[in-house]
Amino acid sequence: MAPFGNTLTPRIRMIRKLLRRVFRRDAPSRHEPATIPHSRHGIDPALVSHNARRVCETLQGAGHRAYVVGGAVRDLIAGIEPKDFDIATDATPEQVRALFRRSRIIGRRFQIVHVMMGPETLEVSTFRAAHDENTLKDEHGRVLRDNIWGTMEEDAARRDFTVNALYYDPVTQTVFDYHRGVDDLKKKTMRMIGEPRSRYREDPVRMLRAVRLSAKLGLTLDPAVRAPIKEMSQLIENVPPARLFDEMLKLLFSGHAVECVKRLRAEGLHHGLLPLLDVILEQPLGEKFVMLALANTDERIRADKPTSPGFLFATLLWHEVLANWEERKAAKELPIPALFAAMDEVLDVQAEKLAITRRIAGDIKEIWLLQPRFDKRAGKTPLRLIEQPRFRAAYDFLLLRAQSGEIPLEVADWWTRFQREDHAGREAMLLPDTDKKRRRSRGRGRKAAAEGGAPESGA
Ligand code: ATP
Ligand code: MG
């Protein structure tokens, strides 16, 4: 038997080698994704949006490939309910558009399709190609344009982290995985697709995404993902402010802001972001206040309560305003004009980096401007303040100031009780108005008072 087997084995080996070579020549860099069955990924079909499934079914019914992709698949495998469902397909935007009555093509550079289904809007993108030497980049290597359609494999390769490059077919309940993302997710590691340094150079926002997504999912950064961040963090300065602002909003409203900020600091990434945030975090009172505000926002988000960017930014920047205001008062500027000037200066510095919209800036200022009015617990001021449309936000802000030790808890308690009383009860709570002369002159200053600027008797 032995000689027979010996003569055959080399021949089989040769044929195999030949076959392998032919295959390789046929498909130069093709590799098939791992096909992961439900028993391994464990996605709960109840967490998958019906509408996303319907969109995939319709596209597949028309002969296309169509899968749920990206963050939604990652979250589903991690057992988290996704915020939104994105779909990737080999159909062109026109082909997608033709299949759904309520849909529209958006974007000029790279077109995607918004498919409206029930209350949901699903983003359907055509597979995109990876970058090559023709890709347009800025002088730091940041990719300025990537708008070429490609294969599903190329689409996977241009995504950032392995856990973000998974494709889920809701019909067969299969996950397609080109980069071992499911393993990484199960091992709780965040690994980059490709070489982390060049991926950060292409898009520095990926450093922030690494921190945010690892905090959200409780993942550990792979050492290769983590190591370059410290030395490359200054590349964030080249990112357009509007994009940075969007990413900051995602981070601060992720429901994991406390964890994100801790991790940002650990990675040395907080410096370029909110200019002065590093300074604020290094002042003991400021740090306590900011962390309390973030914890409060996290709690509200996890409880599905409304939150506002104006409120959160007002807290993040408050200690900057306080420091600036104190300086001005020490230089003998009048308190209220000094507060206005301090607010404008702090917001201007931020505006250079973060595209805080005018509306948000307006909300921030309203909250700040109402703060000095909480000091006045005599006369008619408290009764008017409580009727202000922004009273609730300003009061929540006051509570954080008290909890962080900036002002006496007694002041916040007084306002808590004051709100609960009826009109008579409130009148009874008002502190004696000692300075009659100033009260008499208030008639003339009423307009200024309504704007938060009248000098009234202090409590
Ligand atoms: P979130 O939970 O915040 O929605 P996400 O990963 O879904 O996280 P999106 O901004 O919705 O974030 O992006 C969707 C997908 O697009 C990602 O999962 C990833 O595959 C890809 N992607 C997003 N941003 C980048 C980037 N900067 N570089 C490469 N791929 C990206
Ligand atoms: Mg997403």
Side-chain angles (χ1 to χ4, degrees), residues 270-281:
H270 55 301
H271 285 272
L273 281 183
L274 277 170
L276 312 173
L277 181 57
D278 39 347
V279 183
I280 298 161
L281 290 175

Side-chain angles (χ1 to χ4, degrees), residues 319-329 338 341-343 345-346:
H319 278 261
E320 278 309 302
V321 173
L322 277 184
N324 192 309
W325 190 22
E326 284 309 321
E327 268 174 38
R328 288 171 185 276
K329 282 191 287 189
M343 291 188 326
E345 194 174 325
V346 168

Side-chain angles (χ1 to χ4, degrees), residues 222-380:
D222 174 53
V225 167
R226 187 172 182 200
I229 292 182
K230 278 209 167 69
E231 66 200 73
M232 298 183 86
S233 60
Q234 80 283 359
L235 288 180
I236 298 216
E237 287 169 23
N238 308 319
V239 176
R243 173 121 195 268
L244 207 53
F245 188 63
D246 280 351
E247 185 56 34
M248 283 303 292
L249 287 183
K250 280 194 183 180
L251 199 145
L252 295 171
F253 292 96
S254 63
H256 303 268
V258 168
E259 188 55 31
C260 281
V261 168
K262 282 187 187 157
R263 290 185 185 214
L264 283 178
R265 291 172 82 183
E267 303 307 330
L269 268 177
H270 55 301
H271 285 272
L273 281 183
L274 277 170
L276 312 173
L277 181 57
D278 39 347
V279 183
I280 298 161
L281 290 175
E282 274 138 35
Q283 301 165 357
L285 260 186
E287 151 133 35
K288 194 156 180 224
F289 182 70
V290 165
M291 285 307 186
L292 271 174
L294 293 176
N296 183 274
T297 307
D298 284 351
E299 224 171 83
R300 294 185 69 90
I301 286 173
R302 292 186 201 188
D304 259 339
K305 291 188 189 161
T307 52
S308 91
F311 185 85
L312 191 58
F313 278 102
T315 60
L316 293 180
L317 301 171
W318 175 240
H319 278 261
E320 278 309 302
V321 173
L322 277 184
N324 192 309
W325 190 22
E326 284 309 321
E327 268 174 38
R328 288 171 185 276
K329 282 191 287 189
K332 303 274 180 280
E333 288 185 38
L334 288 170
I336 297 301
L339 175 58
F340 274 95
M343 291 188 326
D344 284 339
E345 194 174 325
V346 168
L347 282 174
D348 280 350
V349 172
Q350 299 303 315
E352 284 171 21
K353 262 275 146 62
L354 294 176
I356 295 183
T357 59
R358 255 185 221 216
R359 225 194 76 210
I360 294 179
D363 292 347
I364 296 174
K365 285 187 184 178
E366 264 180 326
I367 291 171
W368 286 343
L369 274 174
L370 290 175
Q371 296 309 307
R373 295 181 57 184
F374 285 108
D375 295 341
K376 296 156 196 163
R377 288 181 279 162
K380 295 281 180 228

Side-chain angles (χ1 to χ4, degrees), residues 69-72 74-75 83-84 86 158-161 163-165 199 203 205-206 209 212-213 216 243 247 250:
V69 70
R74 175 199 69 211
D75 291 356
K83 296 195 303 270
D84 42 39
D86 296 334
R158 58 168 285 286
R159 293 175 186 272
D160 44 8
F161 302 100
V163 297
N164 283 345
R199 301 305 311 275
D203 181 7
V205 169
R206 287 174 185 149
R209 288 177 52 83
R212 171 168 65 87
L213 296 173
K216 168 177 171 177
R243 173 121 195 268
E247 185 56 34
K250 280 194 183 180

Side-chain angles (χ1 to χ4, degrees), residues 16-260:
R16 277 206 190 132
K17 219 167 153 185
L18 197 77
L19 277 176
R20 242 181 269 139
R21 217 179 280 159
V22 168
F23 256 102
R24 229 179 283 147
R25 200 173 299 142
D26 242 356
S29 68
R30 242 269 297 271
H31 79 270
E32 291 301 319
T35 306
I36 299 181
H38 179 264
S39 61
R40 265 192 67 218
H41 62 67
I43 290 179
D44 176 1
L47 290 181
V48 181
S49 136
H50 292 299
N51 296 323
R53 189 193 153 110
R54 272 175 62 199
V55 171
C56 289
E57 277 170 349
T58 305
L59 283 159
Q60 291 179 9
H64 300 291
R65 306 182 80 172
Y67 309 107
V68 175
V69 70
V73 187
R74 175 199 69 211
D75 291 356
L76 285 166
I77 296 178
I80 301 171
E81 190 171 352
K83 296 195 303 270
D84 42 39
F85 284 80
D86 296 334
I87 288 154
T89 179
D90 61 1
T92 63
E94 282 77 16
Q95 287 172 324
V96 177
R97 169 76 193 84
L99 286 168
F100 301 95
R101 202 169 43 83
R102 289 178 60 220
S103 68
R104 58 163 189 262
I105 297 179
I106 62 156
R108 245 174 300 158
R109 248 179 37 199
F110 192 88
Q111 297 188 321
I112 59 171
V113 185
H114 274 176
V115 175
M116 278 73 80
M117 235 180 223
E120 246 179 299
T121 297
L122 296 131
E123 212 171 274
V124 182
S125 320
T126 306
F127 294 143
R128 261 190 244 193
H131 310 125
D132 59 17
E133 59 282 4
N134 298 321
T135 304
L136 187 64
K137 296 184 181 173
D138 75 3
E139 75 269 29
H140 306 283
R142 195 167 65 83
V143 170
L144 296 176
R145 200 177 298 151
D146 62 8
N147 51 358
I148 301 160
W149 296 333
T151 63
M152 177 157 150
E153 184 185 347
E154 288 172 317
D155 188 83
R158 58 168 285 286
R159 293 175 186 272
D160 44 8
F161 302 100
T162 61
V163 297
N164 283 345
L166 300 168
Y167 299 75
Y168 174 64
D169 184 342
V171 180
T172 62
Q173 298 192 35
T174 320
V175 168
F176 298 100
D177 181 0
Y178 290 90
H179 299 279
R180 308 239 302 253
V182 175
D183 279 349
D184 287 339
L185 204 46
K186 303 269 180 206
K187 283 190 295 196
K188 296 209 157 281
T189 32
M190 188 100 166
R191 215 159 41 82
M192 186 75 87
I193 297 171
E195 206 276 302
R197 277 166 211 275
S198 51
R199 301 305 311 275
Y200 289 145
R201 235 172 275 122
E202 285 170 5
D203 181 7
V205 169
R206 287 174 185 149
M207 292 187 256
L208 300 175
R209 288 177 52 83
V211 171
R212 171 168 65 87
L213 296 173
S214 67
K216 168 177 171 177
L217 294 149
L219 306 185
T220 310
L221 297 184
D222 174 53
V225 167
R226 187 172 182 200
I229 292 182
K230 278 209 167 69
E231 66 200 73
M232 298 183 86
S233 60
Q234 80 283 359
L235 288 180
I236 298 216
E237 287 169 23
N238 308 319
V239 176
R243 173 121 195 268
L244 207 53
F245 188 63
D246 280 351
E247 185 56 34
M248 283 303 292
L249 287 183
K250 280 194 183 180
L251 199 145
L252 295 171
F253 292 96
S254 63
H256 303 268
V258 168
E259 188 55 31
C260 281

